[in-house]
Coordinates of all heavy atoms in Angstrom, one line a residue:
M249 N 75.8 172.6 52.7 CA 76.7 173.4 53.4 C 76.5 173.2 55.0 O 75.3 173.4 55.4 CB 76.7 174.8 53.0 CG 77.8 175.7 53.7 SD 77.7 177.3 53.1 CE 79.4 177.6 52.8
K250 N 77.5 173.0 55.7 CA 77.4 172.9 57.2 C 77.0 174.2 57.9 O 77.5 175.3 57.4 CB 78.7 172.4 57.8 CG 79.1 171.1 57.5 CD 80.3 170.7 58.2 CE 80.8 169.3 58.0 NZ 81.9 168.9 58.8
K251 N 76.1 174.1 58.9 CA 75.9 175.3 59.6 C 77.1 175.7 60.5 O 77.8 174.8 61.0 CB 74.7 175.1 60.6 CG 73.4 174.8 59.9 CD 72.9 176.1 59.2 CE 71.5 175.8 58.6 NZ 70.8 176.9 58.1
R252 N 77.3 177.0 60.6 CA 78.5 177.5 61.3 C 78.1 178.1 62.7 O 77.2 178.9 62.8 CB 79.3 178.6 60.6 CG 79.7 178.1 59.2 CD 81.1 178.3 58.7 NE 81.9 179.3 59.4 CZ 82.9 179.0 60.1 NH1 83.4 177.8 60.3 NH2 83.7 179.9 60.6
I253 N 78.9 177.6 63.6 CA 78.6 178.1 65.0 C 79.9 178.7 65.6 O 81.0 178.2 65.4 CB 78.2 176.9 65.9 CG1 76.8 176.3 65.5 CG2 78.1 177.3 67.4 CD1 76.4 175.0 66.1
L254 N 79.7 179.8 66.3 CA 80.8 180.5 67.0 C 80.6 180.3 68.5 O 79.5 180.6 69.0 CB 81.0 182.0 66.8 CG 81.9 182.8 67.5 CD1 83.3 182.3 67.3 CD2 81.8 184.3 67.2
I255 N 81.6 179.7 69.2 CA 81.6 179.5 70.6 C 82.5 180.6 71.2 O 83.7 180.6 70.8 CB 82.0 178.1 71.1 CG1 81.1 177.1 70.4 CG2 82.1 178.0 72.6 CD1 81.6 175.6 70.7
V256 N 81.9 181.4 72.0 CA 82.8 182.5 72.7 C 82.9 182.0 74.2 O 82.0 182.2 75.0 CB 82.2 183.8 72.6 CG1 83.2 184.9 73.2 CG2 81.9 184.2 71.2
E257 N 84.0 181.4 74.6 CA 84.2 180.8 75.9 C 85.6 180.8 76.4 O 86.5 180.4 75.5 CB 83.8 179.3 75.8 CG 83.9 178.5 77.1 CD 83.2 179.0 78.3 OE1 82.0 179.1 78.4 OE2 83.9 179.4 79.3
D258 N 85.9 181.3 77.6 CA 87.3 181.4 78.0 C 87.7 180.1 78.7 O 88.9 179.9 78.8 CB 87.6 182.6 78.9 CG 86.7 182.5 80.2 OD1 85.5 182.2 80.1 OD2 87.2 182.9 81.3
N259 N 86.9 179.2 79.1 CA 87.3 177.9 79.6 C 87.6 177.0 78.5 O 86.7 176.4 77.8 CB 86.1 177.4 80.5 CG 86.4 176.1 81.1 OD1 87.1 175.3 80.6 ND2 85.9 175.9 82.3
I260 N 89.0 176.8 78.3 CA 89.4 176.0 77.2 C 88.9 174.5 77.2 O 88.4 174.1 76.1 CB 90.9 176.0 77.1 CG1 91.5 177.4 76.9 CG2 91.4 175.1 76.1 CD1 92.9 177.6 77.1
A261 N 88.9 173.9 78.3 CA 88.4 172.6 78.4 C 86.8 172.5 77.9 O 86.5 171.6 77.1 CB 88.6 171.9 79.7
L262 N 86.1 173.4 78.5 CA 84.6 173.4 78.1 C 84.4 173.8 76.6 O 83.6 173.1 76.0 CB 83.9 174.5 79.0 CG 82.4 174.6 78.7 CD1 81.6 173.3 78.9 CD2 81.8 175.7 79.7
S263 N 85.2 174.7 76.1 CA 85.2 175.1 74.7 C 85.4 173.9 73.8 O 84.7 173.7 72.8 CB 86.1 176.2 74.5 OG 86.1 176.6 73.1
H264 N 86.4 173.1 74.1 CA 86.8 171.9 73.4 C 85.7 170.9 73.4 O 85.4 170.3 72.4 CB 88.1 171.4 73.8 CG 89.3 172.1 73.3 ND1 89.6 172.2 72.1 CD2 90.2 172.9 74.0 CE1 90.7 173.0 71.9 NE2 91.1 173.3 73.2
I265 N 85.1 170.6 74.6 CA 84.0 169.7 74.7 C 82.8 170.1 73.8 O 82.3 169.3 73.1 CB 83.6 169.5 76.2 CG1 84.7 168.9 77.0 CG2 82.3 168.8 76.3 CD1 84.5 168.9 78.5
Q266 N 82.5 171.3 73.9 CA 81.3 171.9 73.1 C 81.6 171.7 71.6 O 80.8 171.3 70.8 CB 81.0 173.4 73.5 CG 80.5 173.5 74.9 CD 80.5 175.0 75.3 OE1 81.3 175.8 74.8 NE2 79.5 175.3 76.2
K267 N 82.9 172.1 71.2 CA 83.3 172.1 69.8 C 83.2 170.7 69.3 O 82.7 170.4 68.3 CB 84.7 172.7 69.7 CG 85.2 172.9 68.2 CD 86.6 173.5 68.2 CE 87.0 173.8 66.9 NZ 87.4 172.7 66.1
D268 N 83.9 169.7 70.0 CA 83.9 168.3 69.6 C 82.5 167.8 69.4 O 82.2 167.1 68.5 CB 84.6 167.5 70.6 CG 86.2 167.8 70.6 OD1 86.6 168.4 69.7 OD2 86.8 167.3 71.6
W269 N 81.7 168.1 70.5 CA 80.2 167.5 70.4 C 79.5 168.1 69.2 O 78.8 167.3 68.5 CB 79.5 167.8 71.7 CG 78.1 167.3 71.7 CD1 77.9 166.0 72.0 CD2 76.9 167.9 71.4 NE1 76.4 165.8 71.9 CE2 75.8 167.1 71.5 CE3 76.6 169.2 71.0 CZ2 74.5 167.4 71.3 CZ3 75.2 169.5 70.8 CH2 74.3 168.6 71.0
L270 N 79.6 169.4 68.9 CA 78.9 170.0 67.8 C 79.5 169.6 66.5 O 78.7 169.3 65.6 CB 78.9 171.5 67.9 CG 78.1 172.1 69.0 CD1 78.5 173.5 69.3 CD2 76.7 172.0 68.7
E271 N 80.8 169.4 66.4 CA 81.4 168.9 65.1 C 80.9 167.4 64.9 O 80.6 167.1 63.7 CB 82.8 169.0 65.2 CG 83.3 170.4 65.0 CD 84.8 170.6 65.1 OE1 85.5 169.7 65.7 OE2 85.2 171.7 64.6
R272 N 80.8 166.6 65.9 CA 80.2 165.3 65.7 C 78.8 165.2 65.2 O 78.4 164.4 64.5 CB 80.4 164.5 67.0 CG 81.8 163.9 67.3 CD 81.7 162.8 68.3 NE 81.0 163.2 69.6 CZ 81.6 163.8 70.6 NH1 82.9 164.0 70.5 NH2 80.9 164.1 71.7
E273 N 78.2 166.4 65.5 CA 76.7 166.5 65.1 C 76.5 167.0 63.7 O 75.5 167.3 63.2 CB 75.9 167.3 66.1 CG 75.7 166.6 67.5 CD 74.9 165.3 67.4 OE1 73.9 165.3 66.6 OE2 75.4 164.4 68.0
G274 N 77.8 167.4 63.1 CA 77.8 167.9 61.7 C 77.9 169.4 61.5 O 77.8 169.8 60.4
Y275 N 78.2 170.1 62.6 CA 78.4 171.6 62.5 C 79.8 172.0 62.3 O 80.7 171.2 62.7 CB 77.8 172.3 63.8 CG 76.4 172.1 63.9 CD1 75.9 171.1 64.9 CD2 75.5 172.9 63.4 CE1 74.5 170.9 65.1 CE2 74.1 172.7 63.6 CZ 73.6 171.7 64.4 OH 72.3 171.5 64.7
S276 N 80.0 173.1 61.7 CA 81.4 173.6 61.6 C 81.5 174.7 62.7 O 80.6 175.5 62.9 CB 81.5 174.4 60.2 OG 82.7 175.1 60.1
V277 N 82.5 174.6 63.5 CA 82.6 175.3 64.8 C 83.9 176.1 64.8 O 85.1 175.6 64.6 CB 82.5 174.5 65.9 CG1 82.5 175.3 67.3 CG2 81.2 173.6 65.9
A278 N 83.9 177.4 65.2 CA 85.0 178.2 65.5 C 84.9 178.7 66.9 O 83.8 178.6 67.5 CB 85.0 179.5 64.6
T279 N 86.0 179.0 67.6 CA 86.0 179.4 68.9 C 86.8 180.7 69.1 O 87.7 181.1 68.4 CB 86.6 178.4 69.9 OG1 87.9 178.1 69.4 CG2 85.9 177.0 69.9
A280 N 86.3 181.5 70.1 CA 87.0 182.7 70.5 C 87.0 182.7 72.1 O 86.1 182.2 72.7 CB 86.3 183.9 70.0
M281 N 88.1 183.2 72.6 CA 88.3 183.1 74.1 C 88.0 184.5 74.7 O 87.8 184.6 75.9 CB 89.7 182.8 74.5 CG 90.1 181.3 74.2 SD 91.7 180.9 74.8 CE 91.5 181.1 76.5
N282 N 87.7 185.5 73.9 CA 87.4 186.8 74.5 C 86.5 187.6 73.4 O 86.3 187.2 72.3 CB 88.6 187.6 74.9 CG 89.5 187.8 73.7 OD1 89.2 188.2 72.6 ND2 90.9 187.5 73.9
E283 N 86.0 188.7 73.9 CA 85.1 189.5 73.0 C 85.9 190.1 71.9 O 85.3 190.1 70.8 CB 84.4 190.5 73.9 CG 83.3 191.4 73.1 CD 82.6 192.5 73.9 OE1 82.9 192.5 75.2 OE2 82.0 193.3 73.3
P284 N 87.1 190.7 72.0 CA 87.7 191.3 70.8 C 88.0 190.3 69.7 O 87.8 190.6 68.6 CB 89.0 191.9 71.4 CG 88.7 192.2 72.9 CD 87.8 191.1 73.3
F285 N 88.3 189.1 70.1 CA 88.6 188.1 69.0 C 87.3 187.6 68.4 O 87.2 187.4 67.2 CB 89.3 186.9 69.6 CG 89.8 186.0 68.5 CD1 90.8 186.4 67.6 CD2 89.3 184.7 68.5 CE1 91.2 185.5 66.6 CE2 89.8 183.8 67.4 CZ 90.7 184.2 66.5
A286 N 86.2 187.5 69.1 CA 84.8 187.3 68.6 C 84.5 188.3 67.6 O 84.0 188.0 66.5 CB 83.8 187.2 69.7
H287 N 84.7 189.6 67.9 CA 84.5 190.8 66.9 C 85.2 190.5 65.7 O 84.6 190.6 64.6 CB 84.9 192.1 67.6 CG 84.1 192.6 68.7 ND1 84.2 193.9 69.1 CD2 83.1 192.0 69.4 CE1 83.3 194.0 70.1 NE2 82.7 192.9 70.3
K288 N 86.5 190.2 65.8 CA 87.3 189.9 64.6 C 86.7 188.9 63.7 O 86.6 189.0 62.5 CB 88.7 189.5 65.0 CG 89.7 189.4 63.9 CD 91.1 189.1 64.4 CE 92.0 188.9 63.3 NZ 93.4 188.7 63.8
L289 N 86.3 187.7 64.3 CA 85.8 186.6 63.6 C 84.6 187.0 62.9 O 84.2 186.6 61.8 CB 85.6 185.4 64.4 CG 86.8 184.6 64.9 CD1 86.5 183.6 65.9 CD2 87.5 184.1 63.7
L290 N 83.6 187.7 63.6 CA 82.3 188.1 63.1 C 82.4 189.1 62.0 O 81.5 189.1 61.1 CB 81.4 188.6 64.3 CG 80.9 187.5 65.3 CD1 80.5 188.2 66.5 CD2 79.9 186.8 64.6
R291 N 83.5 189.8 62.0 CA 83.7 190.8 60.9 C 84.2 190.1 59.5 O 83.9 190.6 58.5 CB 84.7 191.9 61.2 CG 84.2 192.9 62.2 CD 85.3 194.0 62.4 NE 84.8 194.9 63.3 CZ 85.2 195.1 64.6 NH1 86.2 194.3 65.0 NH2 84.8 196.0 65.4
K292 N 84.7 189.0 59.6 CA 85.2 188.3 58.4 C 84.5 187.0 58.1 O 84.8 186.5 57.0 CB 86.7 188.1 58.6 CG 87.2 187.1 59.5 CD 88.7 187.0 59.5 CE 89.1 185.8 60.2 NZ 90.6 185.5 60.1
E293 N 83.7 186.4 58.9 CA 83.1 185.1 58.7 C 81.6 185.2 58.9 O 81.2 186.0 59.8 CB 83.8 184.1 59.5 CG 85.2 183.8 59.3 CD 85.8 182.6 60.1 OE1 85.0 181.7 60.3 OE2 86.9 182.8 60.5
Q294 N 80.9 184.4 58.4 CA 79.4 184.2 58.6 C 79.1 183.2 59.6 O 79.7 182.0 59.4 CB 78.7 183.9 57.3 CG 78.8 185.0 56.2 CD 77.9 186.2 56.6 OE1 78.2 187.0 57.4 NE2 76.8 186.3 55.8
F295 N 78.3 183.3 60.6 CA 77.9 182.3 61.5 C 76.4 182.2 61.5 O 75.6 183.2 61.3 CB 78.5 182.6 62.9 CG 79.9 182.5 62.9 CD1 80.7 183.6 62.8 CD2 80.5 181.4 63.1 CE1 82.1 183.6 62.8 CE2 81.9 181.2 63.1 CZ 82.7 182.3 63.0
D296 N 75.9 181.0 61.8 CA 74.4 180.8 62.0 C 74.0 180.9 63.4 O 72.7 180.9 63.7 CB 74.1 179.4 61.4 CG 74.5 179.3 59.9 OD1 73.8 180.0 59.1 OD2 75.4 178.6 59.5
L297 N 74.9 180.7 64.4 CA 74.6 180.7 65.8 C 75.8 181.1 66.5 O 76.9 180.8 66.2 CB 74.1 179.3 66.2 CG 73.8 179.1 67.7 CD1 72.7 180.0 68.1 CD2 73.6 177.6 68.0
I298 N 75.6 181.9 67.6 CA 76.7 182.2 68.6 C 76.3 181.7 69.9 O 75.2 181.9 70.4 CB 76.9 183.7 68.7 CG1 77.3 184.4 67.3 CG2 77.9 184.0 69.8 CD1 77.2 185.8 67.2
L299 N 77.2 180.9 70.6 CA 77.1 180.4 72.0 C 78.2 181.3 72.8 O 79.3 181.0 72.5 CB 77.3 178.9 72.1 CG 76.4 178.0 71.2 CD1 76.9 176.6 71.3 CD2 75.0 178.2 71.6
S300 N 77.7 182.1 73.8 CA 78.7 182.9 74.5 C 78.6 182.8 76.0 O 77.4 182.8 76.5 CB 78.5 184.4 74.0 OG 79.4 185.2 74.7
D301 N 79.7 182.7 76.6 CA 79.8 182.8 78.0 C 79.4 184.1 78.4 O 79.6 185.1 77.7 CB 81.1 182.4 78.5 CG 81.3 182.2 80.0 OD1 80.3 182.2 80.8 OD2 82.3 182.0 80.5
V302 N 78.8 184.4 79.7 CA 78.6 185.7 80.2 C 79.8 186.5 80.5 O 80.1 187.6 80.0 CB 77.6 185.7 81.4 CG1 77.5 187.0 82.0 CG2 76.3 185.1 81.0
R303 N 80.7 185.8 81.3 CA 81.9 186.5 81.7 C 83.1 186.0 80.9 O 83.3 184.8 80.7 CB 82.2 186.1 83.2 CG 81.2 186.7 84.1 CD 81.4 186.2 85.5 NE 81.1 184.7 85.5 CZ 80.6 184.1 86.5 NH1 80.2 184.7 87.6 NH2 80.3 182.8 86.4
L304 N 83.8 186.9 80.4 CA 85.0 186.7 79.6 C 86.2 187.5 80.2 O 85.9 188.6 80.7 CB 84.7 187.1 78.2 CG 83.6 186.3 77.5 CD1 83.2 187.0 76.2 CD2 84.0 184.8 77.2
P305 N 87.4 187.1 79.9 CA 88.5 187.9 80.4 C 88.6 189.3 79.7 O 89.1 190.2 80.4 CB 89.8 187.0 80.0 CG 89.3 186.1 79.0 CD 87.8 185.9 79.1
Q306 N 88.2 189.4 78.5 CA 88.1 190.8 77.9 C 86.7 190.9 77.3 O 86.4 190.3 76.3 CB 89.2 190.9 76.7 CG 90.6 190.9 77.3 CD 91.5 191.0 76.1 OE1 91.5 190.0 75.2 NE2 92.4 192.0 76.0
G307 N 85.9 191.7 78.0 CA 84.5 191.9 77.6 C 83.6 190.9 78.3 O 84.0 190.2 79.2
D308 N 82.4 190.8 77.8 CA 81.5 189.8 78.3 C 80.4 189.6 77.2 O 80.3 190.3 76.2 CB 80.8 190.3 79.6 CG 80.0 191.6 79.5 OD1 79.1 191.6 78.7 OD2 80.4 192.5 80.3
G309 N 79.6 188.5 77.5 CA 78.6 188.1 76.5 C 77.5 189.2 76.3 O 77.0 189.3 75.2
I310 N 77.1 189.9 77.3 CA 76.2 191.0 77.2 C 76.6 192.0 76.2 O 75.9 192.5 75.3 CB 75.7 191.6 78.5 CG1 75.2 190.5 79.5 CG2 74.7 192.7 78.4 CD1 74.0 189.8 79.1
H311 N 77.9 192.6 76.4 CA 78.4 193.5 75.5 C 78.6 193.0 74.1 O 78.3 193.8 73.1 CB 79.8 194.0 76.0 CG 79.7 194.9 77.2 ND1 80.3 194.6 78.4 CD2 79.0 196.0 77.5 CE1 80.1 195.6 79.3 NE2 79.1 196.4 78.7
L312 N 78.9 191.8 73.9 CA 79.0 191.1 72.6 C 77.6 191.1 72.0 O 77.5 191.5 70.8 CB 79.5 189.7 72.7 CG 79.7 189.0 71.4 CD1 80.5 189.7 70.4 CD2 80.2 187.6 71.7
L313 N 76.6 190.8 72.7 CA 75.2 190.7 72.2 C 74.8 192.3 71.7 O 74.2 192.4 70.7 CB 74.2 190.3 73.2 CG 72.8 190.2 72.8 CD1 72.6 189.3 71.6 CD2 71.9 189.6 73.9
E314 N 75.2 193.2 72.6 CA 74.9 194.6 72.3 C 75.6 195.0 71.0 O 75.0 195.8 70.1 CB 75.2 195.5 73.5 CG 74.3 195.3 74.6 CD 74.8 196.1 75.9 OE1 76.0 196.5 75.9 OE2 74.0 196.1 76.8
W315 N 76.8 194.6 70.9 CA 77.7 195.0 69.7 C 77.0 194.4 68.4 O 76.9 195.0 67.4 CB 79.0 194.5 69.9 CG 80.0 194.7 68.8 CD1 80.6 195.9 68.5 CD2 80.4 193.8 67.6 NE1 81.3 195.8 67.3 CE2 81.2 194.5 66.8 CE3 80.0 192.6 67.4 CZ2 81.7 194.0 65.6 CZ3 80.5 192.0 66.3 CH2 81.3 192.7 65.4
I316 N 76.6 193.1 68.5 CA 76.0 192.5 67.4 C 74.7 193.2 66.9 O 74.4 193.4 65.7 CB 75.6 191.0 67.7 CG1 76.9 190.2 67.8 CG2 74.6 190.4 66.7 CD1 76.8 188.8 68.3
G317 N 73.9 193.7 67.8 CA 72.7 194.6 67.5 C 73.2 195.9 66.9 O 72.5 196.2 65.8
K318 N 74.2 196.5 67.3 CA 74.7 197.8 66.8 C 75.1 197.5 65.3 O 75.0 198.4 64.5 CB 75.7 198.4 67.6 CG 75.2 199.0 68.9 CD 76.3 199.5 69.7 CE 75.8 199.9 71.1 NZ 76.9 200.2 72.0
E319 N 75.8 196.4 65.1 CA 76.3 196.1 63.8 C 75.3 195.5 62.9 O 75.5 195.2 61.7 CB 77.5 195.0 63.9 CG 78.7 195.5 64.7 CD 79.5 196.5 63.9 OE1 79.7 196.4 62.7 OE2 79.7 197.5 64.5
K320 N 74.1 195.4 63.4 CA 72.9 194.9 62.7 C 73.1 193.4 62.0 O 72.7 193.2 61.0 CB 72.5 195.8 61.5 CG 72.1 197.1 62.1 CD 71.3 198.0 61.2 CE 71.0 199.4 61.6 NZ 70.7 199.7 63.0
L321 N 73.8 192.6 62.9 CA 74.0 191.2 62.5 C 72.9 190.4 63.0 O 72.5 190.5 64.1 CB 75.3 190.7 63.1 CG 76.6 191.4 62.6 CD1 77.7 190.9 63.5 CD2 76.9 191.3 61.2
D322 N 72.3 189.6 62.1 CA 71.1 188.8 62.4 C 71.5 187.4 62.6 O 71.4 186.6 61.7 CB 70.0 188.9 61.2 CG 68.8 188.3 61.6 OD1 68.4 188.2 62.8 OD2 68.0 187.9 60.7
I323 N 72.0 187.2 63.9 CA 72.5 185.9 64.2 C 71.9 185.5 65.5 O 71.9 186.2 66.6 CB 74.1 185.9 64.4 CG1 74.8 186.5 63.1 CG2 74.6 184.5 64.7 CD1 76.2 186.8 63.3
P324 N 71.3 184.3 65.6 CA 70.7 183.8 66.9 C 71.9 183.8 68.0 O 73.0 183.3 67.6 CB 70.2 182.4 66.6 CG 69.9 182.4 65.2 CD 71.0 183.4 64.6
F325 N 71.6 184.1 69.2 CA 72.6 184.2 70.2 C 72.1 183.6 71.5 O 71.0 183.9 72.0 CB 72.8 185.7 70.4 CG 74.1 186.1 71.3 CD1 75.2 186.5 70.6 CD2 74.1 186.1 72.6 CE1 76.4 186.9 71.3 CE2 75.2 186.4 73.3 CZ 76.4 186.9 72.7
V326 N 72.9 182.7 72.1 CA 72.7 182.0 73.4 C 73.7 182.4 74.3 O 74.9 182.2 74.1 CB 72.6 180.5 73.2 CG1 72.3 179.8 74.5 CG2 71.5 180.1 72.1
I327 N 73.3 182.9 75.5 CA 74.2 183.3 76.5 C 74.2 182.1 77.5 O 73.2 181.7 77.9 CB 73.8 184.5 77.3 CG1 74.0 185.7 76.3 CG2 74.7 184.8 78.5 CD1 73.7 187.1 76.9
M328 N 75.4 181.7 77.8 CA 75.6 180.5 78.7 C 76.5 181.0 79.9 O 77.2 182.0 79.9 CB 76.5 179.4 78.0 CG 76.0 178.9 76.7 SD 77.1 177.8 75.9 CE 78.6 178.8 75.7
T329 N 76.4 180.3 81.0 CA 77.2 180.5 82.2 C 77.4 179.2 82.8 O 76.6 178.3 82.7 CB 76.6 181.5 83.2 OG1 77.5 181.8 84.1 CG2 75.3 181.0 83.8
E330 N 78.5 179.1 83.6 CA 78.7 177.8 84.2 C 78.7 177.9 85.7 O 78.7 179.0 86.2 CB 80.1 177.1 83.9 CG 81.2 178.2 83.7 CD 82.5 177.7 83.4 OE1 83.1 176.9 84.2 OE2 83.0 177.9 82.3

């Protein structure tokens, strides 16, 4: 089974580049452009890794990381910035 990665990034071009590269490497990738949509995906799907931008149009990567801790989700998390 492919490892699943969630990319939380509001820069659409960057998100597509990351998604394409990771899929070529054999990963299954989902994307979210903001924190509320990332919450929605995390409630209904399982992920093996989250790559999140710090600044998002709704919310931010730090709050998302805090939410994941409160929800007791055990998912590795990488905060990125450009």
Side-chain angles (χ1 to χ4, degrees):
M249 180 177 229
K250 289 184 178 183
K251 297 285 185 177
R252 301 233 338 118
I253 297 175
L254 174 60
I255 298 172
V256 186
E257 171 63 64
D258 62 317
N259 181 323
I260 295 170
L262 179 58
S263 177
H264 284 294
I265 290 168
Q266 293 169 332
K267 183 177 191 287
D268 290 344
W269 184 80
L270 290 165
E271 287 177 339
R272 279 195 308 270
E273 294 298 316
Y275 297 97
S276 174
V277 181
T279 61
M281 292 186 62
N282 57 49
E283 187 181 348
F285 190 65
H287 289 190
K288 183 177 179 179
L289 288 174
L290 288 161
R291 284 186 181 111
K292 69 178 193 173
E293 298 181 39
Q294 295 284 77
F295 292 96
D296 299 294
L297 175 66
I298 300 168
L299 303 174
S300 178
D301 191 3
V302 171
R303 292 175 294 218
L304 300 165
Q306 292 177 301
D308 63 58
I310 303 298
H311 287 125
L312 179 58
L313 180 58
E314 291 170 348
W315 179 83
I316 287 169
K318 289 176 187 170
E319 295 293 313
K320 300 198 184 326
L321 299 173
D322 187 22
I323 307 169
F325 193 101
V326 176
I327 294 180
M328 310 175 295
T329 189
E330 42 178 294

